[in-house]
Amino acid sequence: MTNRDTGVALHYHRGTNHPDGSLMNSHHVWDPMNPPLPYKLYRDVESVPLALDGPPSELPAMTAISVNDGAAGVVRTPEFEALSRILHYSAGITKTLRRAGGPMAFRAAACTGALFHIELYMVCGDIPGLAAGVYHYDPDGSSLDLLRKGDYRSTVADAAGGEPGVAYAPASIVFTDVTWRNACKYQAREYRHAFWDCGTILANTLAVSAASGVPARVTAGFVDDSVSELLGLDPLRELPLAVVPLGASPDSTLPPRKTPHPLKFETVPISGHEIDFPAIREMHAASSLASYEEAESWRVNPPRSSMPAPAGRLTPLRSASEEETPMDSVESVILRRGSTRRFSRESISFTQLSTALERATRGVPADFLTPAGSALNDIYLLVNAVDGVAPGAYAFHRDRLALELLREGEFRAEAGLLGLGQALAADASVNIFLMCDLAPVLERFGNRGYRAAQLDASITAGRVYLASYAQRFGATGLTFFDDQVTDFFSPHAQGKSVMFMVSLGKRQRS
Ligand SMILES: Cc1cc2nc3c(=O)[nH]c(=O)nc-3n(C[C@H](O)[C@H](O)[C@H](O)COP(=O)(O)O)c2cc1C
């Protein structure tokens, strides 16, 4: 089974469709009162507290979410304060609320089922305030666990097929997925969630890096086994998903590659029992890259969007001017973020929707998206209540910054059904669907293109989340009935699969 056997990705995707994918067990039950531990906790490890006393960043959130160039930024070697800020506002605990069942830790990014299955690691050379090493980020202790002393950046650079962004970066963050922490509820569909929930974190990582002036770019092409070995991951339980190099050292000479010895740290068990979902392991293995050459050749240009030329009525976006755009910092927006639990059915303005769309969809800086501004997903909207826009189904034309009307009508009931029967979708002002024509993407990138399509969608949607909170209305990711969404937007969306759904609107005050 190799990356080129792309039947595996299609089989996985169809098999995990709602409501009756063949890889899903309709009798699966899980105990919400007894979820797995939402952190990886190492025992007996030396740790370094994050340095979070530095000054806040200055770039407004709405500017930070629109950066699509991974080389943009002036801070070539970020200090430990900047790295700490990036980690904390990516995946840290941003507030603790008192709830009837006990204190509830809020994390910086949204996550399906609040199960928080994504872990972050840092691999760095000597940087101001932090010695070279391989570290695990512990959100619970707001610290870095030291796993290896010394400079192992060459191992990551080699794993990434010599990707220049990684090779010249003073530090890289590696994102991993502890599968059982989410599969306990969502079964084999977890592997989609891995990229969704990594993507909402990555949207924060990219925005906070941009706001801190630190160049950052998502690297999805790397030799999985080399990265796993470096971090000491249990390959049956924890999977590497993405690498984000931070900064760009002018010094391109990395120390020679060291062979990482096996790590022997003990971690606190996350759960009393675990169920194996072979479909997750198979999909990961079939989308893994095995050699430097494979990782190097992964960086090809993506296929062009399959969006047909507009045939319906076009409504050009009407974005806010620079002066009207909120100036709130990324950190303040992340601190106030929280997925909306009930929408009020009030409308948002077309300017608000336009601004969110225009800023969030300029393209993700990623190794699979060249030239800058490319995308793997098309965007469809189901408008329930947006001032000045007729309710109905729309396709968004990025190249023209305009919405094409596909079907006019009141579709709140249909929206609720598409969103897995949840009132949130019916009550939202607008539901946004990121949809991918998987065939050409898999043809170009192999099975790993599936990871890329999910990341492109989830990072873009994570940016839409931030744009909503920056403009002081609400948002939530939502789960969906796959084929019904495609049918709803067809014939326009025929052949496309939903990668992510995000719903926007005003929050219902209780
Ligand atoms: C990809 C994605 C899908 C989600 N799907 C749903 C959903 O179907 N229904 C729901 O009520 N919340 C959904 N959520 C919201 C999560 O439940 C929420 O993020 C989590 O409880 C953590 O809360 P917070 O985002 O307020 O920090 C989703 C979130 C994401 C990121």
Side-chain angles (χ1 to χ4, degrees):
M1 205 163 43
T2 72
N3 187 42
R4 296 309 323 173
D5 302 330
T6 53
V8 181
L10 291 175
H11 174 68
Y12 171 80
H13 186 72
R14 290 197 198 108
T16 52
N17 269 3
H18 276 322
D20 47 16
S22 61
L23 296 170
M24 305 294 284
N25 174 1
S26 56
H27 300 295
H28 175 82
V29 280
W30 86 292
D31 176 7
M33 299 314 290
N34 210 1
L37 200 62
Y39 315 105
K40 185 171 186 184
L41 297 176
Y42 286 83
R43 292 194 213 270
D44 303 323
V45 72
E46 203 179 302
S47 72
V48 184
L50 290 193
L52 291 171
D53 295 336
S57 64
E58 282 171 10
L59 204 66
M62 293 300 283
T63 307
I65 61 167
S66 57
V67 171
N68 66 9
D69 175 2
V74 291
V75 182
R76 316 318 281 177
T77 303
E79 300 193 337
F80 187 40
E81 278 82 2
L83 297 179
S84 298
R85 185 189 310 137
I86 294 168
L87 288 167
H88 177 70
Y89 288 99
S90 292
I93 297 176
T94 49
K95 56 195 168 205
T96 304
L97 301 185
R98 275 172 217 231
R99 290 276 158 88
M104 183 182 152
F106 251 83
R107 302 288 286 269
C111 177
T112 50
L115 289 160
F116 306 112
H117 49 134
I118 306 301
E119 294 286 333
L120 276 57
Y121 296 80
M122 181 168 283
V123 182
C124 61
D126 278 325
I127 56 162
L130 188 68
V134 176
Y135 297 89
H136 165 257
Y137 170 47
D138 172 11
D140 191 40
S142 195
S143 56
L144 289 176
D145 303 321
L146 177 62
L147 304 183
R148 296 183 193 276
K149 281 187 185 160
D151 191 340
Y152 284 87
R153 287 177 297 153
S154 301
T155 307
V156 187
D158 280 359
E163 215 275 322
V166 177
Y168 301 148
S172 287
I173 302 180
V174 185
F175 297 73
T176 72
D177 165 36
V178 182
T179 57
W180 171 245
R181 294 209 320 235
N182 193 269
C184 61
K185 180 173 180 188
Y186 298 104
Q187 310 177 54
R189 203 171 152 102
E190 189 279 340
Y191 199 64
R192 298 189 189 199
H193 293 204
F195 293 96
W196 294 356
D197 297 323
C198 187
T200 57
I201 295 175
L202 281 166
N204 288 10
T205 308
L206 294 173
V208 181
S209 301
S212 307
V214 177
R217 186 169 193 244
V218 178
T219 302
F222 53 84
V223 179
D224 300 70
D225 286 351
S226 306
V227 172
S228 296
E229 192 185 14
L230 178 67
L231 304 181
L233 309 184
D234 173 347
L236 297 180
R237 294 185 171 78
E238 187 172 358
L239 313 172
L241 305 177
V243 176
V244 173
L246 297 169
S249 163
D251 175 11
S252 60
T253 49
L254 288 177
R257 195 179 158 184
K258 294 195 277 248
T259 307
H261 58 82
L263 290 178
K264 296 221 171 64
F265 290 106
E266 237 189 84
T267 55
V268 176
I270 55 167
S271 171
H273 76 293
E274 289 186 31
I275 300 171
D276 181 35
F277 293 96
I280 295 176
R281 284 188 287 102
E282 279 160 23
M283 181 55 209
H284 190 75
S287 58
S288 288
L289 304 181
S291 65
Y292 182 100
E293 292 70 30
E294 230 188 321
E296 191 179 29
S297 63
W298 144 266
R299 295 187 291 274
V300 289
N301 286 351
R304 290 178 65 80
S305 155
S306 51
M307 198 71 141
R313 189 173 81 212
L314 279 184
T315 307
L317 295 191
R318 205 183 314 126
S319 296
S321 66
E322 213 50 59
E323 301 75 58
E324 292 163 343
T325 305
M327 299 295 286
D328 310 39
S329 68
V330 190
E331 291 98 317
S332 65
V333 171
I334 291 174
L335 287 178
R336 85 165 84 106
R337 194 209 61 76
S339 299
T340 304
R341 299 294 79 201
R342 198 158 162 212
F343 289 114
S344 69
R345 290 204 167 206
E346 289 167 89
S347 51
I348 60 169
S349 74
F350 186 46
T351 300
Q352 287 174 317
L353 172 61
S354 300
T355 309
L357 270 182
E358 197 269 310
R359 295 290 177 126
T361 64
R362 289 189 191 175
V364 171
D367 62 343
F368 54 88
L369 292 174
T370 45
S374 317
L376 299 180
N377 286 273
D378 294 328
I379 293 177
Y380 290 84
L381 297 94
L382 207 173
V383 171
N384 288 331
V386 175
D387 285 339
V389 183
Y394 290 84
F396 173 48
H397 290 267
R398 290 174 202 240
D399 51 342
R400 296 165 187 253
L401 290 180
L403 299 183
E404 176 190 359
L405 180 64
L406 303 178
R407 194 149 52 110
E408 191 168 339
E410 288 279 353
F411 294 120
R412 281 196 189 268
E414 289 82 350
L417 290 175
L418 297 181
L420 224 57
Q422 299 178 86
L424 280 161
D427 294 341
S429 301
V430 55
N431 295 290
I432 299 178
F433 299 88
L434 291 107
M435 301 185 70
C436 178
D437 186 357
L438 283 172
V441 171
L442 298 179
E443 169 71 31
R444 187 67 61 94
F445 293 113
N447 287 314
R448 208 172 181 93
Y450 186 70
R451 303 189 191 184
Q454 294 284 10
L455 282 175
D456 173 55
S458 57
I459 296 169
T460 305
R463 289 173 155 185
V464 171
Y465 244 111
L466 294 175
S468 303
Y469 280 87
Q471 296 184 89
R472 296 191 179 268
F473 54 89
T476 185
L478 274 189
T479 313
F480 43 84
F481 284 119
D482 296 85
D483 293 341
Q484 284 85 334
V485 176
T486 303
D487 291 346
F488 182 80
F489 288 104
S490 287
H492 200 281
Q494 213 139 37
K496 296 181 191 174
S497 302
V498 192
M499 296 288 113
F500 204 106
M501 172 178 181
V502 57
S503 304
L504 320 183
K506 294 199 176 149
R507 280 154 284 180
Q508 173 75 55
R509 310 266 168 215
S510 46

